Amino acid sequence: MAVVEITEAAAYEVKDMLQQNDMADGYLKIKINGGGCTGLTYGMSAEAEPGENDEVLEVHGLKILVEKYDKPVLDGTRIDFKQSLMGGGFQIDNPNAIASCGCGSSFRTAKVAGSPEDC
């Protein structure tokens, strides 16, 4: 199993976004940042090329970058895209998260607490 699982719906959405931004051959980078009420936040960005510390994955034809330092925190994470009457959005389910803030925008794991901010 890959470090990160991307559903077909999420992969389609990202590939469409990359294409709309003239980056059809680009990568989705998934990373962990410090911050938020609980200590860690997710980051996703479009990248033209892999960085020095990036591992390249491919799921549903989408090229994904994960920094080697983030792999233990992201291991087993599932990213989906859900459409609703209020619009669409990505949903991240990380089995390593043991706590999250009330708004759901930050988390921590048993081994990595990050740098919580006052909220």
Side-chain angles (χ1 to χ4, degrees):
M1 179 165 126
V3 173
V4 177
E5 177 190 348
I6 305 272
T7 65
E8 194 170 353
Y12 175 82
E13 194 67 27
V14 172
K15 287 191 287 188
D16 189 48
M17 288 179 191
L18 289 170
Q19 192 163 9
Q20 288 179 21
N21 288 289
D22 296 324
M23 293 185 70
D25 293 329
Y27 298 80
L28 169 66
K29 182 161 187 166
I30 303 167
K31 57 187 169 184
I32 300 297
N33 302 311
C37 302
T38 314
L40 300 171
T41 59
Y42 299 104
M44 294 195 301
S45 62
E47 301 292 333
E49 295 183 17
E52 183 178 313
N53 294 315
D54 289 333
E55 180 175 317
V56 180
L57 313 169
E58 189 165 332
V59 181
H60 299 295
L62 174 65
K63 296 180 288 187
I64 303 166
L65 303 176
V66 176
E67 281 194 30
K68 64 180 177 181
Y69 307 110
D70 293 339
K71 284 175 59 176
V73 175
L74 289 171
D75 189 34
T77 296
R78 183 176 192 267
I79 300 174
D80 195 6
F81 185 84
K82 297 285 186 185
Q83 193 69 260
S84 72
L85 293 174
M86 302 299 288
F90 291 97
Q91 294 181 336
I92 301 173
D93 180 27
N94 185 338
N96 303 304
I98 61 166
S100 62
C101 65
C103 62
S105 65
S106 68
F107 69 101
R108 68 182 159 119
T109 69
K111 294 183 181 179
V112 183
S115 305
E117 299 171 353
D118 292 332
C119 296

